[in-house]
């Protein structure tokens, strides 16, 4: 499974447009190791042990005196060198720094002509006497397979420090056959590796120092990347989130195509239903067309947000607790990147505008598009507000009607404005459709005039002087709902949700 994932990531990195893929992997196979173009290797202490091309790592190690044996996995060899502790068996030659650990079978242990180094701190002795081997004054015959010793792991029994190296011995035993024998002088111990600090020092001299020298002492790179101290600035995080969200939006070609097809289809449906009906209308078709168009755009825009925004909450949480992101730059970047894509919903109103025969003047059409833009922005703000309470799109879609239904009921189309109970008038004041519907009607009747103007003014109980006030209130509501969603998201991230 791991190899399949790495192959897919390798294909993703090489496919046009080419991308940079960062992968953290531990103990890769030789095949997976060959897929990487660049390597960053850390020692077990977290220090940089290598940074550069994969093809150059073996020559880099050979320059330090560490040659990778043939038919040996380079990844295992490199990780062994980068480890600060290595395992050694005292009945074999003491392992040089970075040398491969060789596992011996019981018969090979007896047949190897190995001599212990003096001063190694090991209590076992080895002598050859004819056809037998003596280990700790116990004789084992080479010809008797049942006498062949084997190593049995045990607990830590001794810690010694000699010649600047640390050893941790495990209580091992050499036994005969299947029966546990008495303890003899065969031990496994850990020795501090000399290869890891040499790799760190060489990498620091060849990579880190040179990189710092090229940066210079004025730290101009911090101004370029917006880095101040240990964390990126809010502006730098905003730019990163904006760029990432824009890339995500541009890659959703299927979703973009579906949304475009939906808006064009609904626009044509509205156009065919009200085809050239507005010029000969007395007011009813005009109000019905504008109201149904707004309700459809409100639902489509807000539902679209609820379908994708909650999924990204887990990513934000991981980045926030890792110190790599903040809720405010994330929200601003994410919502701003979605504005160009949301312009597709304008097609739902632009297509039937001329088909239905609305006022053809440039100024009237310009205001029509502007009002629709702020209506869509407000609808998306409602979607973000509903999605900010949860990371489950099903729950956000369940919450959304609590915001949309009052907007439709208190729109001024389904009731007389003066008949609203005093305790519910505040809902009319925060209704997006109330202001956007009134603006569209006032914009249309200003151009046509006549009996239609009188009818719609009386029916909706609005006056032409209300146009500027309605427009300001619509903009304030659009920004207010968006700000409320950002505040709720920030509270969830910082005070309520747990690390992912």
């Amino acid at each position: 499974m791991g190899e399949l994932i790495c192959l897919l990531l390798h294909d993703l990195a090489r496919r046009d447009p080419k991308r940079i893929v960062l992968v953290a992997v531990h103990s890769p196979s030789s095949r997976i190791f060959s897929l990487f173009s660049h390597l960053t290797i850390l020692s077990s202490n977290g220090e940089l042990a290598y940074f550069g091309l994969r093809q150059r790592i073996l020559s880099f190690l050979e320059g330090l005196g560490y040659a990778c044996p043939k038919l040996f996995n380079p990844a295992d060899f490199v990780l062994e060198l980068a480890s600060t502790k290595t395992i050694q068996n005292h009945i074999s030659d003491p392992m040089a720094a970075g040398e491969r650990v060789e596992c011996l079978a019981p018969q090979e242990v007896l047949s190897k002509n190995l001599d212990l180094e003096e001063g190694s701190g090991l209590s076992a002795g080895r002598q050859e006497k004819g056809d037998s081997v003596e280990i700790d004054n116990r004789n084992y015959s080479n010809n008797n397979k049942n006498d062949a010793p084997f190593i049995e792991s045990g607990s830590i029994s001794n810690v010694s420090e000699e010649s600047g190296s640390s050893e941790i011995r495990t209580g091992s035993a050499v036994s005969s056959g299947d029966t546990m024998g008495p303890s003899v002088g065969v031990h496994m111990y850990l020795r501090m590796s000399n290869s890891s600090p040499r790799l760190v020092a060489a990498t620091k001299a060849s990579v880190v120092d040179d990189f710092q020298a090229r940066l210079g002492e004025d730290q101009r790179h911090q101004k370029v990347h917006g880095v101040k101290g240990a964390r990126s600035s809010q502006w730098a995080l905003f730019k990163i989130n904006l760029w990432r969200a824009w890339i995500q939006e541009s890659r959703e070609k299927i979703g973009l195509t579906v949304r475009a097809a939906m808006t064009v289809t609904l626009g044509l449906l509205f156009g065919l239903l009200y085809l050239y009906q507005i010029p000969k209308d007395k007011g009813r078709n005009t109000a019905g067309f504008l109201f149904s168009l707004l309700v459809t755009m409100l639902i489509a825009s807000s539902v679209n947000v609820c379908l994708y925004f909650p999924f990204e909450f887990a990513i934000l949480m991981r980045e926030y607790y890792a110190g790599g992101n903040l809720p405010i730059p994330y929200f601003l970047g994410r919502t701003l990147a979605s504005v160009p894509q949301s312009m597709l919903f304008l097609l739902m109103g632009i297509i039937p505008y001329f088909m239905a025969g609305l006022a053809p003047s440039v100024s009237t059409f310009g205001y029509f598009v502007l009002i629709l833009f702020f209506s869509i922005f407000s609808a998306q703000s409602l979607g973000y507000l509903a999605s900010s309470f949860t990371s489950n799109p099903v729950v956000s879609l369940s919450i959304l009607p609590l915001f949309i239904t009052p907007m439709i009921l208190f729109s001024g189309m389904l009731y007389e404005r003066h008949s609203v109970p005093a305790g519910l008038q505040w809902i009319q004041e925060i209704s997006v459709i109330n202001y956007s519907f009134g603006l569209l009607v006032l914009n249309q009747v200003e151009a046509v005039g006549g009996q239609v103007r009188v009818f719609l003014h009386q029916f909706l109980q609005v006056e032409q002087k209300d146009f500027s006030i309605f427009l300001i209130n619509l903009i304030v509501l659009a920004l207010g709902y968006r700000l409320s969603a950002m505040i709720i998201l920030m509270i969830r991230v910082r005070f309520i949700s747990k690390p992912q």
Side-chain angles (χ1 to χ4, degrees), residues 353-354 357-368 443-444 446-448:
Y353 184 89
F354 298 100
L358 292 175
S361 65
V362 177
S363 60
T364 304
F365 177 74
Y367 275 114
F368 176 82
N443 179 56
Q444 178 64 22
E446 176 67 17
V448 297

Side-chain angles (χ1 to χ4, degrees), residues 5 20 42 89 140 143 154 182 224-225 246 252 262 281 296 359 384-385 412 418 426-427 431-432:
I5 294 175
I20 297 177
L42 302 179
N89 187 336
Y140 297 90
N143 298 325
V224 176
H225 296 284
W246 174 256
E252 289 292 335
M262 177 196 69
D281 178 48
T296 305
Y384 284 116
L385 183 60
H418 302 298
W426 63 273
I427 302 179
S431 174
V432 173

Side-chain angles (χ1 to χ4, degrees), residues 291 405-421 424-431 433-435 437 458-461:
F291 180 77
T405 304
M407 302 286 175
I408 299 175
L409 292 177
F410 292 84
S411 61
M413 174 69 177
L414 306 176
Y415 63 94
E416 293 187 1
R417 293 179 181 271
H418 302 298
S419 65
V420 179
L424 299 179
Q425 287 183 356
W426 63 273
I427 302 179
Q428 179 176 278
E429 300 300 326
I430 63 172
S431 174
I433 299 185
N434 175 37
Y435 297 113
F437 178 52
Q458 294 177 352
F459 179 72
L460 298 178
Q461 299 175 351

Side-chain angles (χ1 to χ4, degrees), residues 211-229:
F211 181 69
Q212 291 178 345
R214 282 185 291 171
L215 288 177
E217 298 180 356
D218 56 358
Q219 301 295 314
R220 286 179 296 177
H221 65 290
Q222 293 188 358
K223 297 180 181 179
V224 176
H225 296 284
V227 178
K228 295 182 180 179

Side-chain angles (χ1 to χ4, degrees), residues 162-459:
E162 302 173 0
S163 304
S165 64
S166 301
E167 299 177 355
I168 304 177
R169 301 183 187 180
T170 61
S172 304
V174 176
S175 304
S176 301
D178 297 329
T179 305
M180 182 79 69
S183 176
V184 297
V186 178
H187 298 276
M188 301 291 291
Y189 61 91
L190 295 177
R191 168 168 290 180
M192 299 302 296
S193 171
N194 294 325
S195 59
S196 178
R198 291 187 64 186
L199 262 64
V200 172
T203 302
K204 184 177 185 298
S206 61
V207 178
V208 179
D209 293 344
D210 179 63
F211 181 69
Q212 291 178 345
R214 282 185 291 171
L215 288 177
E217 298 180 356
D218 56 358
Q219 301 295 314
R220 286 179 296 177
H221 65 290
Q222 293 188 358
K223 297 180 181 179
V224 176
H225 296 284
V227 178
K228 295 182 180 179
R231 170 171 293 195
S232 299
S233 65
Q234 298 268 357
W235 175 246
L237 290 176
F238 167 74
K239 291 189 294 183
I240 293 173
N241 283 285
L242 177 62
W243 175 82
R244 182 175 65 177
W246 174 256
I247 295 298
Q248 291 176 345
E249 291 282 346
S250 60
R251 288 177 179 174
E252 289 292 335
K253 296 181 179 179
I254 297 179
L256 183 64
T257 303
V258 171
R259 286 198 298 270
M262 177 196 69
T263 54
V264 171
T265 302
L266 292 178
L268 291 174
L269 183 61
F270 277 111
L272 293 175
L273 178 61
Y274 295 95
L275 187 63
Y276 299 116
Q277 295 293 323
I278 303 301
K280 54 185 178 182
D281 178 48
K282 296 182 180 181
R284 179 177 178 179
N285 283 344
T286 302
F289 168 71
L290 297 176
F291 180 77
S292 57
L293 178 65
L294 280 174
V295 171
T296 305
M297 295 178 68
L298 174 69
I299 296 175
S301 301
S302 56
V303 168
N304 179 66
V305 173
C306 292
L307 288 176
Y308 74 84
F309 187 70
F311 286 110
E312 301 180 357
F313 182 75
I315 299 176
L316 173 62
M317 289 299 299
R318 287 196 295 268
E319 293 177 345
Y320 174 75
Y321 281 99
N325 210 343
L326 292 174
I328 294 179
Y330 162 78
F331 184 84
L332 293 177
R334 188 68 188 85
T335 57
L336 186 60
S338 64
V339 171
Q341 302 286 354
S342 64
M343 295 301 99
L344 282 175
F345 292 104
L346 289 176
L347 295 176
M348 194 184 302
I350 294 175
I351 292 175
Y353 184 89
F354 298 100
M355 295 178 63
L358 292 175
S361 65
V362 177
S363 60
T364 304
F365 177 74
Y367 275 114
F368 176 82
V369 175
L370 180 64
I371 296 169
L372 287 186
F373 170 77
F374 283 111
S375 301
I376 294 171
F377 191 87
S378 302
Q380 290 183 329
S381 298
L382 292 174
Y384 284 116
L385 183 60
S387 302
S388 62
F389 289 97
T390 178
S391 57
N392 189 336
V394 176
V395 178
S396 64
L397 289 174
S398 302
I399 298 175
L400 186 61
L402 297 177
F403 297 101
I404 292 182
T405 304
M407 302 286 175
I408 299 175
L409 292 177
F410 292 84
S411 61
M413 174 69 177
L414 306 176
Y415 63 94
E416 293 187 1
R417 293 179 181 271
H418 302 298
S419 65
V420 179
L424 299 179
Q425 287 183 356
W426 63 273
I427 302 179
Q428 179 176 278
E429 300 300 326
I430 63 172
S431 174
V432 173
I433 299 185
N434 175 37
Y435 297 113
S436 57
F437 178 52
L439 285 170
L440 289 178
V441 171
L442 292 175
N443 179 56
Q444 178 64 22
V445 299
E446 176 67 17
V448 297
Q451 183 180 359
V452 177
R453 175 190 295 185
V454 176
F455 171 79
L456 291 176
H457 280 173
Q458 294 177 352
F459 179 72

Side-chain angles (χ1 to χ4, degrees), residues 427-496:
I427 302 179
Q428 179 176 278
E429 300 300 326
I430 63 172
S431 174
V432 173
I433 299 185
N434 175 37
Y435 297 113
S436 57
F437 178 52
L439 285 170
L440 289 178
V441 171
L442 292 175
N443 179 56
Q444 178 64 22
V445 299
E446 176 67 17
V448 297
Q451 183 180 359
V452 177
R453 175 190 295 185
V454 176
F455 171 79
L456 291 176
H457 280 173
Q458 294 177 352
F459 179 72
L460 298 178
Q461 299 175 351
V462 293
E463 299 294 337
Q464 204 65 36
K465 59 183 177 63
D466 297 329
F467 185 87
S468 58
I469 298 176
F470 278 24
L471 182 60
I472 294 174
N473 290 340
L474 178 62
I475 296 174
V476 171
L477 284 178
L479 298 177
Y481 287 133
R482 190 69 59 102
L483 180 62
S484 301
M486 184 178 67
I487 294 175
I488 294 174
L489 180 67
M490 182 178 61
I491 294 175
R492 281 188 63 207
V493 171
R494 293 189 174 182
F495 305 108
I496 299 178

Side-chain angles (χ1 to χ4, degrees), residues 1-161:
M1 186 63 182
E3 183 176 342
L4 176 60
I5 294 175
C6 289
L7 287 172
L8 292 175
L9 293 176
H10 179 263
D11 181 66
L12 181 65
R14 297 174 62 89
R15 185 189 308 164
D16 290 330
K18 297 185 182 299
R19 305 173 179 88
I20 297 177
V21 179
L22 302 179
V23 180
V25 62
H26 181 68
S27 299
S29 64
S30 58
R31 184 173 182 181
I32 293 179
F33 183 77
S34 65
L35 297 176
F36 291 90
S37 60
H38 293 72
L39 299 176
T40 299
I41 298 177
L42 302 179
S43 68
S44 53
N45 287 334
E47 298 176 292
L48 186 63
Y50 180 77
F51 179 81
L53 295 173
R54 175 186 56 81
Q55 293 89 340
R56 298 180 181 178
I57 186 169
L58 294 183
S59 60
F60 173 78
L61 297 177
E62 290 177 358
L64 298 177
Y66 305 114
C68 180
K70 295 182 179 180
L71 303 180
F72 198 90
N73 184 2
D76 291 340
F77 180 71
V78 171
L79 293 179
E80 185 177 320
L81 292 178
S83 177
T84 56
K85 294 181 181 180
T86 55
I87 302 175
Q88 185 174 350
N89 187 336
H90 84 275
I91 64 173
S92 63
D93 290 333
M95 183 182 60
E99 185 179 4
R100 178 184 178 185
V101 177
E102 187 174 6
C103 300
L104 302 178
Q107 289 78 6
E108 292 176 319
V109 173
L110 289 174
S111 63
K112 286 283 185 180
N113 185 14
L114 303 176
D115 296 326
L116 297 175
E117 291 184 352
E118 295 182 2
S120 62
L122 302 177
S123 60
R126 182 182 183 278
Q127 298 178 354
E128 291 186 0
K129 295 182 179 180
D131 294 331
S132 64
V133 176
E134 181 178 353
I135 301 178
D136 281 357
N137 299 323
R138 294 180 60 86
N139 292 327
Y140 297 90
S141 173
N142 286 337
N143 298 325
N144 190 352
K145 295 182 180 180
N146 293 327
D147 290 338
F150 67 92
I151 299 175
E152 179 185 59
S153 61
S155 60
I156 296 177
S157 61
N158 186 25
V159 178
S160 63
E161 295 185 359

